[in-house]
Structure formats: C-alpha cells, structure tokens
Amino acid sequence: MELYEAIHSLRAMRRLKTDAVPQELIWKVLDAAIRAASGGNRQPWNFVVVTDAAKKQQIAEWYMDGWNAYTGGQQDAPADEAMARMFRSAGHLANHLAEAPVFIIPTVNAAGLAPMSGLGSSIFPAVQNLMLAARAEGLGTTITTLYKAHEAEVKELLGVPESYETMCLIPMGWPTGKFGQGARIPVEQVTYWDGWGETKDRG
C-alpha cells in the first residue's frame, strides 16, 4: 500500500472480528514497529503480545472498570452525532475487548532514560509504525489506555518487570467496518510559520 494512502485511511477501528490473526502478520507489524527512531538509539521498548483468552478476559474486566470510571456509568450517547458515534464505538470496544484476537501492549524501560526525554517519545513513533503496518495488511487497531488504573495488576498478570511501564493497549484484528479518512481540522488552521498565529496560504 502506498504510504500516504495508509496514512490518510488509518483510523481507530474498535469493532473487530474474532477471526485469528496469523502469527506471521503479528511478527510483520512488530518488525515495522522496531524500525522507529528512539533517543540515542536506545530502543527501550518491549512489546507484550496477548492472545491467551483468560488473560485477555482479565484485562478486559479491568478495562471495563476504566470505561465505567471515564463515563461515570453513563449509558446514553451524547446528543452531538459525531460524539455519539465515538461514544458508541468506544462503548463497543469496552464491552467486547476480550473478543479482539490480539492485544499488543508496548512497554518502556524507564531505567536510564533522561527525565526530560519523556517515555512517550521513546515508544509512540514505534506504535505509529505498528499501526500503519497493520493498516497496510488490512488489520484494524486503536490506541487505548483505560486499563491504566490497573497498571500494577496488568504488570503482575503479564510478568512485566517493575522498571517497565506499559504505555497503551492496542487491540488488533480484522475490522468489521471500512477504513476511511477521518474528519480532521485543515492543516492550514493548525500550522503557524515562524511564530504563533503567523499563517500562510498553502498555495
């Protein structure tokens, strides 16, 4: 798939089929992930792939705690249609997370990283690579962190060492819906040149 096509059609896919993802594709997207840059080329990442049904179910239960805390137990979608679509999609994921065939949990070893570096800068370029590679293979992904209130329990369940932090959860599988360009504020409205508020015509 041409790179810009993958970029423009990548979107959060929260409704996934239960069909298995071939292991060779999991390795392929992970291999794309590790091609990302990292500070000092330290590559402080590891990726935990979870396909075990019991472990997925336990993480999904902790995730549901996060969803309920985030929504305050709200059941009705917002009145705004765009927000309502996102609410329904996120709610579907919360209620069906364990059915996703693959969880990928990127971790970062915080030991030895400079305090000002930020853990995110050491992992999210790799996460974006992974998601673009998955898109090129027709696989759906999304980034979510609603399990993080149970970070300690997740680490214990998966045997993640104390010095590592899990950064997000990426459910991955074959999407039930279609890829397509999401709504975005035009680049001209969010870009300034040589100073805040200084705009240019795109030409």
Side-chain angles (χ1 to χ4, degrees), residues 106-174:
T107 72
V108 169
N109 184 2
L113 288 182
M116 72 288 290
S117 66
L119 296 183
S121 63
S122 297
I123 192 64
F124 286 114
V127 168
Q128 184 72 356
N129 272 13
L130 186 155
M131 295 176 71
L132 284 169
R135 167 65 191 99
E137 300 295 336
L139 289 163
T141 58
T142 191
I143 296 176
T144 186
T145 57
L146 288 180
Y147 71 94
K148 288 283 280 180
H150 290 276
E151 166 84 355
E153 293 97 323
V154 170
K155 287 174 63 173
E156 182 178 3
L157 177 71
L158 301 177
V160 177
E162 184 61 33
S163 64
Y164 287 72
E165 182 173 346
T166 72
M167 298 301 291
C168 62
L169 188 157
I170 305 168
M172 185 171 74
W174 306 106

Side-chain angles (χ1 to χ4, degrees), residues 5 41 71 159:
E5 181 184 353
N41 197 31
T71 62

Side-chain angles (χ1 to χ4, degrees), residues 1-2 10-11 16 35 47 62 74 76 107 135 143 146 148 150 165 184 194 198-199:
M1 176 177 287
E2 195 269 333
L10 177 65
R11 63 189 307 171
L16 302 174
R35 305 301 156 182
F47 302 85
W62 289 328
Q74 177 183 343
D76 296 328
T107 72
R135 167 65 191 99
I143 296 176
L146 288 180
K148 288 283 280 180
H150 290 276
E165 182 173 346
R184 294 292 184 268
D194 299 320
E198 299 296 326
T199 61

Side-chain angles (χ1 to χ4, degrees), residues 164-194:
Y164 287 72
E165 182 173 346
T166 72
M167 298 301 291
C168 62
L169 188 157
I170 305 168
M172 185 171 74
W174 306 106
T176 62
K178 295 181 179 180
F179 292 100
Q181 187 162 294
R184 294 292 184 268
I185 300 170
V187 65
E188 297 86 350
Q189 295 181 25
V190 297
T191 304
Y192 303 133
W193 294 77
D194 299 320

Side-chain angles (χ1 to χ4, degrees), residues 19 43-44 50 58 73 87 99 142 145 148 172 175:
D19 305 48
Q43 305 171 60
V50 185
Q58 179 60 77
F87 183 90
E99 298 170 18
T142 191
T145 57
K148 288 283 280 180
M172 185 171 74

